[in-house]
Amino acid sequence: MTNKYYEFFCPVKVIAGKAALEHIPYELTGLAAKRPMIITDKGVRAAGLLDPVIAACEESGLEIVSIYDDVPPDSSTTVVRDIAAVYRKEKCDSIIAVGGGSAIDTGKAVNILVSEGGDDIARYTGAGVLKHPLKPFFVVPTTAGTGSEVTSVAVITDEKKGVKLPFTSSFLLPNAAIIDPRMTLTLPPHITAATGMDALTHAVEAFTCMAKNPLSDAYATAAIKKISQSLLAVMDNPKDQDGRLELAQASTMAGIAFSNSMVGLVHSLGHATGAICHLPHGLCMSLYLPYVLEFNLESIRESLGELLLYLEGPEVYSATPASRRAEASISAIRKLRDALHKRCELPRTLKETGKVLETQLEAIARQALDDGSIMFNPREVTLEDALSVLRRAWA
Amino acid sequence: MLLKRLQPMMFQARRNYVELMFQVMGRALQAISDVDEPTREEVRALPEGFLFEMQVMPNGPKLIVEHTGDGKLHFHGDTAPRPVDLSIQFKHMAHAFLVLSFQEKTSVAFANDRMLVDGDVSYAVRMTRVLNRLESFILPKLVAQRAVKEYPADIHLPEKLMSSARIYLKVATQFVETVRA
Ligand SMILES: [Fe+2]
């Protein structure tokens, strides 16, 4: 018998599909919440995405008591404190976060403050600090990528100290994630592409890194299949509601997979690149995915080979000899990147981004070695290894 | 019946073994950080006075080391002079035993949710690499390959230096044989 052991946890109710938003009032009432606050950003509001949420609530006689729409792309402790103050002043009793990773993380952090008390969110950083359930919390994702609606982590920047504070607790998980195709319908092409590649990377790393387990595997493969089938279709026809819903669901499924099995070197490099060169996270994922898979190849040959079935379908899978499937999976991902580049000029190399200097590679490599996700990469990574992956991703 | 009577003995033996291995590892960490440049390079990134603890939950054996500067580690036994900065905690003695008897890799134990990190994750990542390197030093190569993800290519230390650690280890392996069954 092996030493294999795993844990899998996802208590988030998923409410997905046509007219999903209209379920929010009923779900709130079920938790005895009557005075919800919306936390979102200016982009979401300008795109008119709040309108169907507010309309859905008003029609049921549920008033949205307060709307905070000024969440910055990198949320901070000050923003969290300000929103908590508004929440208390308006006597809100629940939170609806509408947006991408930043709005969702902000919602999680505000929920800690308004549930536990105080103004200093830094007090609650680290694992195992929260011991009680928080206020009713709903998430409406507007990008199909981060998977934050099903992760028990939030990252908030402490501006004064210049550090990122991590918060981890299963109590950060929302009561429900509402996935409605209307929310991603207007995503511009390059964001659709980058966030789609983020979701794909979550699933591929979940399936090939050290903490993979049978349950996370099932979510990961299903997510990969949906992304392979729908991403290019949606790029060609952005108003394709069914395709949009497929991508949004895939993103949530990939989120469930990686929050239970962690990610690896693609994310270590991506986090470092995001911090040093300010490239969007999804783009970083797309840049590094094939090169990291090549680096890990001999440790993950079998699992990566299995993914060919979900990336390319049964015909290609059965026509490819077992010994070539892992390489064929990498080629499939490269092919997808080329197709995205053709459609929206999503860069394929660091050089193509025009925002990274070759002299920055060493700093990126050093920082990547300190990233928590590197612990779960199937191969040990030295500074030299990280640099060689970066050099291959350069041009 | 017999199993029931034997179990407390086994628990005690396992506890003794984990305590002994913490002693071995603590001393070896200090010894390695005196001479091994790659280890010092990793440790230098930790603040001076940084206290690292490995512990078995809830109140089991402990190992505490301090970064005293320039990459050097000092072994404090099982008592910390002040609150620790980073704690890696095994959820149960059984899990500590799996890892410290080199049946489960440290990184796999993390991946398998056997341990918790309390403190800055980037420091935990560094300490895991230091522990991996330590295991490659004090273990015979064959066992080390099971214990760490990859056996480092640049292991060359005066044999004499590590021999004392290996003697501890011999005692330790006897425990494994007694307790493993
Ligand atoms: Fe990601």
Side-chain angles (χ1 to χ4, degrees):
Chain A
M1 185 180 150
T2 65
N3 284 336
K4 193 69 190 157
Y5 164 90
Y6 69 89
E7 293 175 10
F8 184 93
F9 185 66
C10 183
V12 179
K13 179 166 185 176
V14 174
I15 297 167
K18 194 173 167 66
L21 292 172
E22 279 70 14
H23 285 261
I24 293 177
Y26 171 80
E27 294 295 331
L28 280 170
T29 321
L31 295 167
K34 296 186 185 75
R35 299 178 61 81
M37 169 189 225
I38 288 183
I39 296 175
T40 188
D41 60 58
K42 286 260 185 313
V44 167
R45 192 160 207 181
L49 295 178
L50 287 192
D51 304 342
V53 181
I54 296 169
C57 289
E58 276 178 355
E59 214 184 323
S60 291
L62 189 83
E63 188 201 352
I64 304 283
V65 177
S66 181
I67 298 176
Y68 185 96
D69 67 359
D70 213 5
V71 174
D74 243 327
S75 193
S76 70
T77 49
T78 327
V79 172
V80 171
R81 198 187 56 213
D82 291 352
I83 302 176
V86 176
Y87 179 103
R88 288 174 185 135
K89 193 169 135 254
E90 301 286 344
K91 299 197 166 48
C92 300
D93 61 6
S94 49
I95 297 170
I96 306 173
V98 185
S102 182
I104 299 173
D105 278 13
T106 306
K108 290 173 179 172
V110 169
N111 202 9
I112 298 178
L113 275 191
V114 299
S115 306
E116 294 279 319
D119 284 324
D120 181 15
I121 188 70
R123 269 175 52 205
Y124 301 100
T125 182
V129 180
L130 299 177
K131 306 282 187 201
H132 313 285
L134 309 178
K135 302 281 183 202
F137 177 42
F138 291 69
V139 169
V140 185
T142 59
T143 62
T146 66
S148 309
E149 65 278 14
V150 285
T151 66
S152 49
V153 190
V155 180
I156 303 289
T157 306
D158 184 335
E159 294 150 310
K160 277 188 224 112
K161 292 190 187 142
V163 290
K164 293 197 166 196
L165 302 175
F167 301 86
T168 333
S169 165
S170 52
F171 296 126
L172 296 182
L173 287 162
N175 299 86
I178 297 97
I179 298 158
D180 190 303
R182 281 172 285 179
M183 301 313 272
T184 50
L185 215 48
T186 52
L187 268 188
H190 64 282
I191 297 186
T192 303
T195 51
M197 289 304 287
D198 187 21
L200 181 69
T201 306
H202 292 156
V204 171
E205 290 212 289
F207 197 80
T208 54
C209 287
M210 291 185 69
K212 78 199 257 34
N213 66 64
L215 292 177
S216 68
D217 283 356
Y219 281 96
T221 50
I224 293 170
K225 189 173 165 189
K226 285 192 187 307
I227 296 165
S228 312
Q229 288 175 347
S230 298
L231 185 52
L232 293 180
V234 167
M235 292 299 292
D236 291 335
N237 178 16
K239 295 281 161 217
D240 171 4
Q241 288 229 18
D242 293 334
R244 288 286 188 189
L245 181 60
E246 286 292 281
L247 290 182
Q249 292 176 113
S251 161
T252 300
M253 295 165 88
I256 294 174
F258 91 83
S259 64
N260 281 283
S261 69
M262 302 301 142
V263 284
L265 181 58
V266 184
H267 273 80
S268 327
L269 292 169
H271 293 153
T273 312
I276 294 172
C277 309
H278 308 286
L279 285 187
H281 176 74
L283 170 58
C284 296
M285 298 298 100
S286 186
L287 289 171
Y288 295 134
L289 182 56
Y291 305 105
V292 169
L293 293 176
E294 281 168 5
F295 170 73
N296 285 335
L297 183 60
E298 291 317 320
S299 306
I300 59 171
R301 183 169 279 287
E302 202 184 319
S303 51
L304 184 57
E306 271 177 62
L307 290 186
L308 186 62
L309 177 60
Y310 309 97
L311 286 162
E312 292 274 40
E315 279 81 25
V316 174
Y317 180 80
S318 56
T320 310
S323 62
R324 299 281 314 148
R325 282 178 188 151
E327 284 87 351
S329 292
I330 300 178
S331 310
I333 291 167
R334 282 176 176 277
K335 215 171 66 190
L336 179 60
R337 294 191 335 149
D338 290 339
L340 292 173
H341 181 259
K342 209 173 119 203
R343 285 166 176 80
C344 70
E345 277 166 26
L346 189 74
R348 290 159 299 182
T349 61
L350 288 167
K351 204 173 166 188
E352 277 178 2
T353 67
K355 287 191 179 149
V356 182
L357 301 171
E358 212 169 349
T359 49
Q360 290 176 306
L361 298 190
E362 180 157 346
I364 297 174
R366 283 191 187 280
Q367 191 157 338
L369 289 188
D370 276 340
D371 195 89
S373 57
I374 211 158
M375 213 137 57
F376 302 101
N377 194 66
R379 270 192 75 184
E380 197 77 74
V381 186
T382 64
L383 182 65
E384 209 27 66
D385 293 333
L387 263 174
S388 80
V389 172
L390 287 169
R391 283 196 204 102
R392 301 192 58 178
W394 170 250
Chain B
M1 283 289 265
L2 184 65
L3 186 72
K4 251 197 182 140
R5 241 178 298 147
L6 278 177
Q7 241 173 13
M9 274 170 64
M10 197 182 92
F11 289 161
Q12 189 55 46
R14 205 156 69 178
R15 192 188 167 95
N16 289 348
Y17 174 80
V18 169
E19 271 171 9
L20 180 68
M21 264 326 281
F22 275 167
Q23 291 276 327
V24 173
M25 287 169 68
R27 276 156 221 237
L29 278 172
Q30 186 170 322
I32 287 172
S33 72
D34 270 340
V35 289
D36 182 45
E37 191 44 40
T39 301
R40 298 237 312 246
E41 186 61 40
E42 290 283 2
V43 176
R44 272 190 200 108
L46 308 171
E48 217 173 292
F50 182 88
L51 281 175
F52 166 72
E53 163 195 84
M54 259 177 124
Q55 199 208 344
V56 183
M57 290 171 96
N59 295 308
K62 275 186 190 175
L63 168 166
I64 288 145
V65 292
E66 177 179 353
H67 176 214
T68 51
D70 196 28
K72 291 203 183 186
L73 292 171
H74 173 75
F75 177 44
H76 279 286
D78 62 359
T79 31
R82 53 184 179 279
V84 299
D85 301 287
L86 171 70
S87 175
I88 293 183
Q89 303 176 339
F90 291 99
K91 289 184 183 170
H92 191 278
M93 189 66 79
H95 307 146
F97 182 72
L98 275 178
V99 171
L100 297 177
S101 58
F102 312 107
Q103 301 176 64
E104 186 164 294
K105 298 176 172 74
T106 314
S107 43
V108 173
F110 265 117
N112 285 359
D113 292 302
R114 310 276 202 205
M115 315 193 263
L116 293 177
V117 173
D118 198 354
D120 190 321
V121 174
S122 66
Y123 293 146
V125 173
R126 270 183 193 272
M127 282 313 297
T128 310
R129 276 199 295 268
V130 170
L131 291 171
N132 281 347
R133 192 153 176 97
L134 164 85
E135 287 172 358
S136 347
F137 271 123
I138 62 175
L139 295 176
K141 190 169 177 182
L142 209 68
V143 186
Q145 277 164 343
R146 189 171 59 199
V148 298
K149 266 195 235 172
E150 264 160 66
Y151 194 80
D154 57 344
I155 292 273
H156 15 245
L157 262 200
E159 179 62 24
K160 214 175 102 196
L161 192 87
M162 294 327 295
S163 60
S164 62
R166 286 220 176 95
I167 291 167
Y168 277 110
L169 191 77
K170 250 189 198 152
V171 185
T173 2
Q174 279 161 11
F175 270 104
V176 184
E177 266 136 42
T178 326
V179 185
R180 209 168 182 172

